[in-house]
Amino acid sequence: MAEFKFSLSAKPILGGVDLRIGDNQIKERNDLAIVSVATPLGGENALAQSLQDSWNLPLPTPTVASQNSDTFAIRTAPDQLFLVFPHSQPDAEPVVAHRLSGTGYTSDQTDVWVVLDIRGPDTIAALERICPLDAAHMPTNGSARSIMEHMGTLILRLEERRFWLFSGSSSAASFLHAVETSFRNVAEA
Amino acid sequence: MIIDHPLLGPRDAAEFVVKGDASLIDRPDGMTATPQELHDYAYLRDNPAGEHRELWYHEQGDRSWLVVTRNTLTHAVTQVELARDVARSRGRSR
Amino acid sequence: MTQSHRIDGGQIDRAQTLKFQWNEKWLSGHPGDTLASALLANGVKLVGRSFKYHRPRGIFSAGSEEPNALVQLRKGAAQEPNTRATTIELFDRLYATSQNHRGSLEWDLMAANDLLTPFLSSGFYYKTFMWPKAFWEKLYEPAIRASAGLGRLSGNPDPDHYDHGFLHCDLLVIGGGPTGLAAALAAGRAGARVILADEDFRFGGRLNCETYEVSGQSGSGWAQAAVTELATLDNVRLMARCTVYGAFDHGVYGALERKTDHRATSGGKPRQILWRIYTKRTLLAAGAIERSIAFGNNDRPGIMLAGAVRTYINRFGVAPGREIAVFTNNADGLRTAADLRAKGIEVTEVDARKGDMIVDTKGRKGVHSAILSNGRTLPVDCIAVSGGWSPTVALTCHHRGRPQWRDAIAGFVPDGELPPGMSVAGAANGTMTLAACLADGHTKGTEIAADLGATGAAGDAATAIDEEFEITPFWHVSQSRARAWVDLQNDVTTKDVRQSHQEGFRSVEHLKRYTTLGMATDQGKTANVLGLAIMAETAGKTIAETGTTIFRPPYTPISIGALAGRARGKDFRPYRLTPSHKWAEENGADFVETGMWLRAQWFKQPGEKGWRDSVDREAMAVRKSVGICDVTTLGKIDIQGRDAAEFLNRVYANPFLKLSVGKVRYGLMLREDGVAYDDGTTARLSENHFVMTTTTANAVTVFRNMEFARQCLWPDLDVHLISTTDGWAQFAVAGPNSRPLLQKIVDDLNLSNDSFPFMACTECTVFDGTPARLFRISFSGELAYEIAVPARFGDSVMRGLMAAGEEFSVAPYGTEALGVLRIEKGHAAGNELNGQTTAQNLGLGGMVSKKKDAIGSKLSERTEMNREDNLRLVGFRPKERSVLLTAGAHFLRPGDPEDLAHDQGWMTSVAYSPELGHSVGLGYLKRGNERMGETVRAYSPVRNQDIMVEVCSPHHIDPDGERQRG
């Protein structure tokens, strides 16, 4: 029985796609872990303290993520946030759970989402074609969940012309198509 | 149509799913309610021409259930509350 | 190729010449021309045939209100019917043809309709095509369709593509004429975020068409300077070629931007963008539209609106005629005469205010003379008509606002009940002179910007001298004996309006529907007020009492392609792929859409002739050895919290409080009315942590309903939900060899029946360290497991499972075999959970706990839902074993008539069972549980089947469940 050997390989949902359209870039981020943290009823303060102690992160507001270096805490529901940080192994949830030591309910969301890192001069114009939100006026680290081309999306503004777009991993191909089409429709190339 | 989410600000109704009359919050306790009360809860809704309190779910958003006060004649939305707060204010708890 | 009617001046680029084809003939124009101005420049007067009578018609206006000059633009697949020549921007090698004629435009065979006028009056269809009934489809409708309908579609897929988009602003200014420009300048300078949209390709509105001065320069020059300034402001977005077509709730406006319509090709970019504009405030500065006067034969080519004549001479440098009569009831009309004289064109003024009138005209394919009321015949090749200007109030009425009649301008103005956030300025608001419009725009732009918190200086208002404005209402020439046209697009005459009234159509809405006045592409922009006035006169009422019809979006026509946007073909909606999709593609899978998911139906092997061969083989592999099915599509919900168990106990009808850690339980969900709506399994991973599966179809609904219960019903339970459907690749491994197969890949986990029994679950690692979850659950009735791994490993795990199963001849199986297996085993699925069925119907009545108040449980106890003679889910097999059963067949007792009163139930699911060698079915039968072994009739008139079937247990295979527990 011990004879059988097969080594598994992890596969990025879009194969690590990296597109250039004009001076813009659409890149799949497959180096990020996403762990949801739900606030136990009545445990807001304990969770806030825990985030502060373990990650030096304040609680995110409903519309602006908090950031410490390359770790983000993004509000996704009144009693839920996502911790997003670079991490390649499939053990992000136990890692986070350990550091929270019971102050939040954790669920691994890394594989639930595809993350597209979009940037370039036409980013705002491209978002105007799919995003009902006022992306141009989001603050830095502004975050929101919305719908783009029928797909649920979490949008995070990193820079003036750089965003992360999170959407369901099962429809990642359709989502990439929607984002890519938006850039192609506006970019001079 | 725009719903002014109490936490997130104005959002397009396309992000929401509507359920209907906010009276659905007032679910009777099945162990003590009369069959008539259970029946009325499950089947009877008001359908006013004018101000109406409705449940909307921010499905493509923060997953909040909201109570939206909307005039069915003018579509004017005059109040938007978190349904959880409304439920608590009506005495719901566990 | 000479532009015989081109004159000096205008905002066209004479340095460049554009060639274009009209009805296959090459003509020329210049950048800045519309197709209409270029046709007029080339002396083309006759451009189309009317809708009903096929009367020769020419260009009537110079804007989107055009009722006559509808043409087919481009050719081949890109051909677009019913485009208005007056809004088509000329481009090189433009190709256009006239429409709605049989034979040539000049000799239209359908013109005979014009001679049938006495029979084709209003209500003609309703009166004529009444009987015999059978004639409608076979004769009348095809004949009507052939003779009407204006342009033709190419019948080919649209080669262009379209996009949608979303814009946000503080202030949307609709209309880029003097009012809109003044408002945008004021608000933009103040710092407000402004969008200025105009349907034209050149901002300026009437300023481009008139000879007025603004702030000491030409009106058009001032407009261009304003545009130049606005373009320097980062907070202002200028949108030319953009029609705001609808005012929707809460400051949302719809707009259509034509991106490439003015080019020969779209260059791979979307041709048009349908925008949704979110605004805080809106200023409607849409101007006004001129209207006609009804007189005999007032529809001939060469008869056009007086303002349009000014547009052609001043903006386009085109003389619509050389001998022109101006027929007006107002001072503005006389400006046309003055402007024409300034260009050296001969003009005769016919001023209705002085009692002068045109009674009739002559000239079949182009007017050549006008008959005046004093009996004189005037040689003319163009008649400029002005019956006054109607404020463009359409968007003010999209929330059912009704405009009010204002005598001073003889027009309808917005009445104050505007869409929330909207203001109206300039001519759209009844402010009919230039200086007043500039001031109005400036003031309102300044005020709105200040309201919105903009603090910058609005700057100085532009100045102009107010022109004379005077109108004496005059609608139609009663002396005219010939037909006098009210609505050119729909061929409605003054007589039709009167007749409609006489026949009892007293409401304006009835007038519209009976005569078609105000319908079709122009929506009566030049005709409605005239029609209302004549109706009011006939009824002896005022126009104010008569009112208008309701204005609805869109303001101008929108192509279906633009409404569809990207949602065409494969892009109609997103699709979802399972982690093993690529592997399945490589291994002969045939896919089926289930919701948005693409799932493998079966995996075709060499030599298999039809799908049944594949499905039978796959099902048998599961029964005899082992099969693998990707079940990732099942909804997965992660449930955590101190009250998670209590919560589950309230959303499932059966008990969940005492489920042990490391165990899975089947759960049944009811709607609040007691009807079953979903089922699945829930595993308890730890004290406060559960993982629920739902059906693929109901994943979203179940999540939504549980959020409702959590937030609205029991807001103080500590329970939290998050979907993990996409996060875990999940595979069913089913069949007697599933245990030895999985034992090869799990790390340090004993899968023996004692240590990992039926309905056990655990978190574990597989393939040497990869995290996984393992559930011992069975949908097939065999010894079976479901294994879940992070989705990134899904493809690899599928390959690993296949490699591990090679020694067992493992077979992947698709949704069809899955269906066969569950029907053989008697498990309910979507066909059985049809929104009408109760737990009792499903044979699960005993599961519903009476000791607790779960959603739907109390109402499910109602007497009617628990009658002994209700439908029960049972199995069926054909008496004649070779016959294949039919889903949807209804059950009858042998000998009973085939009617509803004798209906005994219906077959919900059928499959061919390769294990049993015959067809098996599930279905609902009255008192079915008491009727084992009975023979009933399965009757399906729609499938033409009438057979006898035997009632049996729904568990066609292994009724005692020994296999799955073994």
Side-chain angles (χ1 to χ4, degrees):
Chain A
M1 215 175 281
E3 310 296 306
F4 180 71
K5 281 283 172 214
F6 186 93
S7 59
L8 292 186
S9 53
K11 203 165 100 173
I13 194 78
L14 293 170
V17 69
D18 186 355
L19 296 173
R20 307 293 158 117
I21 299 163
D23 292 328
N24 307 284
Q25 183 182 23
I26 305 173
K27 183 176 162 56
E28 180 187 8
R29 290 295 298 259
N30 48 39
D31 56 333
L32 297 172
I34 306 165
V35 177
S36 69
V37 181
T39 321
L41 193 72
E44 290 78 7
N45 294 339
L47 176 61
Q49 192 62 51
S50 194
L51 276 179
Q52 195 65 58
D53 294 347
S54 296
W55 287 274
N56 197 20
L57 280 173
L59 276 182
T61 76
T63 54
V64 182
S66 54
Q67 180 187 5
N68 176 16
S69 178
D70 45 13
T71 298
F72 291 85
I74 308 168
R75 180 64 68 188
T76 48
D79 53 2
Q80 182 193 78
L81 55 88
F82 279 5
L83 275 177
V84 181
F85 51 97
H87 187 85
S88 60
Q89 293 305 304
D91 62 351
E93 186 270 328
V95 167
V96 170
H98 178 73
R99 293 173 78 175
L100 285 172
S101 58
T103 56
Y105 301 113
T106 50
S107 182
D108 201 313
Q109 289 280 303
T110 309
D111 293 64
V112 177
W113 304 87
V114 66
V115 184
L116 298 181
D117 186 339
I118 61 169
R119 61 172 112 191
D122 301 310
T123 302
I124 298 291
L127 284 172
E128 278 175 353
R129 300 296 176 88
I130 45 169
C131 175
L133 305 174
D134 192 0
H137 278 218
M138 283 172 82
T140 301
N141 283 349
S143 70
R145 296 177 77 169
S146 188
I147 185 166
M148 301 185 192
E149 290 290 302
H150 312 289
M151 287 169 276
T153 310
L154 171 63
I155 179 170
L156 175 70
R157 184 178 210 170
L158 296 173
E159 297 164 14
E160 177 69 18
R161 291 172 197 287
R162 183 179 176 203
F163 293 79
W164 282 351
L165 303 179
F166 300 61
S167 193
S169 62
S170 66
S171 47
S174 294
F175 190 67
L176 173 64
H177 176 68
V179 174
E180 183 184 344
T181 302
S182 302
F183 273 102
R184 293 204 187 284
N185 284 352
V186 299
E188 293 300 330
Chain B
M1 178 172 164
I2 302 292
I3 293 175
D4 195 357
H5 191 298
L7 300 174
L8 306 176
R11 293 299 195 94
D12 195 300
E15 294 177 349
F16 294 82
V17 173
V18 67
K19 188 177 176 81
D21 195 335
S23 70
L24 285 166
I25 289 173
D26 301 323
R27 183 179 184 274
D29 180 349
M31 301 308 280
T32 57
T34 64
Q36 186 62 45
E37 285 167 344
L38 290 166
H39 166 274
D40 291 356
Y41 172 72
Y43 294 106
L44 296 187
R45 309 273 189 281
D46 285 337
N47 183 24
E51 194 166 272
H52 191 213
R53 279 161 69 76
E54 299 169 336
L55 285 160
W56 289 74
Y57 176 51
H58 200 194
E59 184 151 271
Q60 302 297 347
D62 76 346
R63 310 290 168 118
S64 286
W65 277 93
L66 304 177
V67 174
V68 175
T69 305
R70 188 178 69 95
N71 188 311
T72 58
L73 295 176
T74 64
H75 298 181
V77 172
T78 48
Q79 194 179 11
V80 185
E81 303 152 275
L82 289 173
R84 189 170 220 155
D85 295 343
V86 173
R88 283 177 177 143
S89 74
R90 294 201 208 181
R92 302 203 70 87
S93 177
R94 292 173 58 87
Chain C
M1 283 244 310
T2 58
Q3 297 178 38
S4 56
H5 285 62
R6 189 69 77 181
I7 57 172
D8 289 343
Q11 298 133 41
I12 52 168
D13 177 7
R14 286 167 202 266
Q16 280 188 65
T17 297
L18 304 174
K19 291 178 184 174
F20 69 100
Q21 266 183 296
W22 167 250
N23 281 346
E24 305 298 334
K25 193 176 167 192
W26 284 99
L27 301 172
S28 67
H30 299 291
D33 265 327
T34 62
L35 175 60
S37 69
L39 287 171
L40 288 170
N42 285 275
V44 176
K45 269 192 183 157
L46 171 62
V47 296
R49 292 278 174 166
S50 73
F51 179 66
K52 192 160 139 189
Y53 298 116
H54 293 255
R55 300 257 304 178
R57 291 282 165 80
I59 292 157
F60 186 68
S61 75
S64 65
E65 66 270 30
E66 177 62 32
N68 275 345
L70 303 183
V71 304
Q72 294 198 156
L73 185 62
R74 304 176 196 266
K75 56 182 161 185
Q79 171 180 312
E80 189 181 18
N82 305 334
T83 58
R84 289 147 291 170
T86 49
T87 62
I88 299 166
E89 207 172 330
L90 197 68
F91 55 84
D92 201 37
R93 311 190 79 75
L94 177 151
Y95 178 92
T97 55
S98 55
Q99 59 187 33
N100 202 33
H101 48 85
R102 207 173 287 172
S104 74
L105 173 62
E106 285 72 21
W107 303 103
D108 177 12
L109 300 174
M110 295 299 289
N113 278 7
D114 201 21
L115 305 175
L116 300 173
T117 303
F119 306 102
L120 295 176
S121 59
S122 57
F124 149 77
Y125 289 168
Y126 313 123
K127 292 168 187 165
T128 310
F129 300 117
M130 297 282 285
W131 52 269
K133 198 177 163 194
F135 274 33
W136 177 252
E137 274 187 30
K138 290 198 172 73
L139 185 65
Y140 298 147
E141 192 181 355
I144 293 166
R145 292 248 175 259
S147 66
L150 300 173
R152 297 268 179 265
L153 292 164
S154 73
N156 296 313
D158 188 339
D160 283 309
H161 56 116
Y162 301 82
D163 211 351
H164 288 181
F166 309 87
L167 295 175
H168 300 257
C169 63
D170 294 332
L171 171 63
L172 169 66
V173 180
I174 303 168
T179 309
L181 285 170
L185 279 172
R189 287 169 181 159
R193 197 176 175 196
V194 177
I195 292 175
L196 175 63
D198 196 288
E199 62 179 354
D200 204 333
F201 56 90
R202 187 179 182 91
F203 285 102
R206 288 300 304 172
L207 289 177
N208 294 329
C209 313
E210 307 287 2
T211 49
Y212 302 126
E213 284 195 351
V214 176
S215 294
Q217 58 182 319
S218 75
S220 63
W222 177 84
Q224 296 320 301
V227 168
T228 304
E229 181 183 343
L230 289 167
T232 65
L233 301 175
D234 287 342
N235 52 320
V236 175
R237 184 176 186 128
L238 292 165
M239 299 182 77
R241 304 183 179 97
C242 181
T243 305
V244 178
Y245 65 81
F248 303 99
D249 283 327
H250 310 147
V252 177
Y253 287 78
L256 182 77
E257 185 182 11
R258 292 166 292 277
K259 292 293 257 192
T260 67
D261 281 10
H262 59 294
R263 299 193 185 129
T265 63
S266 60
K269 300 291 185 197
R271 180 187 159 209
Q272 298 174 345
I273 317 291
L274 195 76
W275 294 105
R276 182 180 297 199
I277 305 180
Y278 301 93
T279 68
K280 295 190 178 111
R281 298 283 296 272
T282 299
L283 185 68
L284 182 71
I289 291 173
E290 202 170 16
R291 57 191 184 234
S292 186
I293 295 171
F295 55 93
N297 287 311
N298 60 337
D299 66 328
R300 298 194 192 283
I303 300 176
M304 63 176 70
L305 293 168
V309 170
R310 293 207 294 282
T311 302
Y312 289 115
I313 56 172
N314 293 327
R315 175 173 172 181
F316 296 109
V318 171
R322 296 194 170 92
E323 295 172 294
I324 300 182
V326 174
F327 184 22
T328 181
N329 66 352
N330 65 83
D332 187 72
L334 296 183
R335 288 197 66 86
T336 304
D339 286 0
L340 285 167
R341 281 192 199 101
K343 296 280 182 184
I345 296 167
E346 202 174 306
V347 191
T348 306
E349 291 176 13
V350 184
D351 193 335
R353 294 173 299 176
K354 297 178 184 163
D356 297 334
M357 284 168 274
I358 295 176
V359 177
D360 200 356
T361 70
K362 301 281 183 202
R364 176 109 189 117
K365 287 169 196 166
V367 65
H368 61 60
S369 53
I371 318 292
L372 305 185
S373 49
N374 60 16
R376 254 183 72 202
T377 296
L378 199 65
V380 289
D381 57 358
C382 173
I383 299 174
V385 189
S386 180
W389 291 78
S390 303
T392 308
V393 299
L395 287 163
T396 70
C397 303
H398 285 181
H399 292 193
R400 287 190 78 95
R402 293 301 187 106
Q404 295 295 310
W405 183 253
R406 186 183 293 174
D407 278 325
I409 63 163
F412 283 99
V413 293
D415 75 336
E417 275 188 51
L418 302 174
M422 181 188 279
S423 313
V424 192
N429 207 28
T431 302
M432 305 308 279
T433 56
L434 177 57
C437 282
L438 289 165
D440 196 17
H442 182 80
T443 304
K444 288 191 171 125
T446 308
E447 284 170 1
I448 292 169
D451 282 356
L452 293 167
T455 52
D460 294 332
T463 53
I465 297 166
D466 257 341
E467 69 274 21
E468 184 197 358
F469 182 83
E470 194 284 319
I471 179 167
T472 303
F474 179 79
W475 306 106
H476 66 105
V477 177
S478 48
Q479 296 96 311
S480 293
R481 304 197 57 180
R483 280 173 296 169
W485 306 85
V486 175
D487 184 333
L488 294 169
Q489 183 153 104
N490 293 289
D491 276 349
V492 178
T493 64
T494 52
K495 188 179 155 215
D496 291 326
V497 176
R498 284 194 213 98
Q499 184 193 337
S500 156
H501 178 79
Q502 280 154 14
E503 295 185 8
F505 297 92
R506 301 293 158 89
S507 138
V508 284
E509 297 289 356
H510 291 161
L511 167 72
K512 173 174 176 173
R513 278 143 191 88
Y514 194 54
T515 62
T516 70
L517 172 77
M519 292 192 179
T521 68
D522 69 338
Q523 288 288 294
K525 288 183 176 63
T526 60
N528 280 345
V529 173
L530 187 48
L532 297 173
I534 293 164
M535 184 183 183
E537 180 187 288
T538 310
K541 291 197 214 166
T542 65
I543 296 173
E545 287 165 338
T546 305
T548 65
T549 53
I550 293 174
F551 296 84
R552 295 187 178 86
Y555 175 68
T556 49
I558 298 173
S559 64
I560 298 292
L563 294 171
R566 300 181 192 172
R568 280 169 58 171
K570 245 185 101 202
D571 291 342
F572 180 67
R573 63 175 181 184
Y575 52 92
R576 302 174 76 180
L577 304 179
T578 67
S580 69
H581 187 84
K582 184 162 176 291
W583 180 90
E585 275 182 331
E586 291 164 11
N587 285 274
D590 199 285
F591 294 97
V592 61
E593 289 183 32
T594 53
M596 291 199 288
W597 289 99
L598 289 184
R599 298 188 72 181
Q601 294 187 91
W602 54 76
F603 297 82
K604 192 174 178 185
Q605 295 259 306
E608 288 175 342
K609 291 192 179 66
W611 65 274
R612 262 282 305 282
D613 290 353
S614 310
V615 172
D616 287 0
R617 172 184 51 73
E618 290 169 15
M620 284 307 281
V622 173
R623 296 274 176 236
K624 298 301 176 201
S625 180
V626 60
I628 300 172
C629 183
D630 190 329
V631 293
T632 302
T633 62
L634 293 176
K636 307 178 202 80
I637 302 171
D638 194 80
I639 303 170
Q640 297 192 60
R642 300 184 295 271
D643 298 314
E646 175 63 32
F647 180 77
L648 285 166
N649 202 44
R650 295 183 193 183
V651 295
Y652 275 134
N654 50 316
F656 262 83
L657 268 181
K658 292 187 179 144
L659 178 66
S660 311
V661 171
K663 287 288 186 184
V664 188
R665 185 170 290 174
Y666 173 80
L668 179 68
M669 280 191 195
L670 306 180
R671 302 192 310 224
E672 199 62 88
D673 64 1
V675 170
Y677 91 97
D678 202 64
D679 65 349
T681 59
T682 289
R684 190 168 201 167
L685 297 178
S686 68
E687 185 62 22
N688 295 334
H689 188 188
F690 295 79
V691 173
M692 173 185 283
T693 62
T694 72
T695 61
T696 301
N698 283 333
V700 170
T701 318
V702 168
F703 192 96
R704 183 188 303 157
N705 291 344
M706 290 208 301
E707 279 289 358
F708 175 75
R710 181 179 92 91
Q711 296 177 35
C712 300
L713 300 183
W714 309 300
D716 292 329
L717 286 184
D718 182 45
V719 60
H720 301 269
L721 313 172
I722 190 159
S723 170
T724 56
T725 303
D726 284 10
W728 294 86
Q730 194 151 322
F731 301 96
V733 182
N737 282 322
S738 57
R739 179 180 291 135
L741 188 159
L742 284 172
Q743 193 65 69
K744 291 171 71 175
I745 62 123
V746 295
D747 307 333
D748 309 319
L749 182 65
N750 181 351
L751 294 182
S752 72
N753 208 31
D754 288 342
S755 69
F756 199 72
F758 184 53
M759 299 308 258
C761 70
T762 189
E763 293 179 285
C764 59
T765 60
V766 297
F767 292 100
D768 203 10
T770 296
R773 290 171 177 170
L774 191 64
F775 311 89
R776 187 161 161 205
I777 50 179
S778 176
F779 197 45
S780 57
E782 297 299 326
L783 170 69
Y785 303 80
E786 288 187 14
I787 179 170
V789 293
R792 73 189 89 163
F793 295 105
D795 176 83
S796 196
V797 163
M798 183 69 200
R799 294 172 201 273
L801 288 170
M802 290 302 293
E806 205 173 325
E807 62 175 298
F808 310 108
S809 304
V810 64
Y813 65 101
T815 53
E816 279 298 320
L818 187 81
V820 169
L821 295 164
R822 72 100 190 162
I823 293 166
E824 286 179 339
K825 179 60 185 171
H827 280 310
N831 290 12
E832 285 73 38
L833 293 163
N834 70 349
Q836 299 172 295
T837 48
T838 64
Q840 187 218 33
N841 294 151
L842 288 160
L844 303 174
M847 276 180 69
V848 180
S849 168
K850 291 186 173 15
K851 294 182 190 153
K852 63 169 184 175
D853 173 27
I855 288 177
S857 63
K858 290 299 155 190
L859 283 178
S860 80
E861 290 172 16
R862 283 178 288 176
T863 318
E864 273 301 304
M865 291 171 109
N866 293 280
R867 284 161 55 121
E868 286 302 311
D869 61 349
N870 277 352
L871 299 166
R872 300 298 179 107
L873 185 67
V874 288
F876 296 90
R877 49 190 175 225
K879 292 292 278 184
E880 183 69 52
R881 291 288 197 262
S882 60
V883 172
L884 295 179
L885 299 173
T886 297
H890 276 249
F891 301 123
L892 298 162
R893 287 181 198 277
D896 274 357
E898 304 89 355
D899 58 28
L900 204 56
H902 295 85
D903 186 33
Q904 295 275 300
W906 71 97
M907 192 88 81
T908 53
S909 300
V910 300
Y912 177 79
S913 166
E915 166 135 329
L916 298 172
H918 61 78
S919 186
V920 294
L922 298 175
Y924 290 112
L925 182 68
K926 281 185 181 171
R927 291 181 186 273
N929 54 323
E930 299 167 9
R931 296 168 71 176
M932 294 300 148
E934 190 181 320
T935 296
V936 295
R937 197 176 148 198
Y939 175 65
S940 177
V942 288
R943 298 283 175 84
N944 205 18
Q945 193 182 51
D946 191 357
I947 57 169
M948 301 307 255
V949 297
E950 185 186 324
V951 183
C952 59
S953 161
H955 311 298
H956 295 279
I957 279 174
D958 190 30
D960 299 326
E962 284 165 9
R963 296 185 192 178
Q964 64 193 17
R965 290 193 176 80

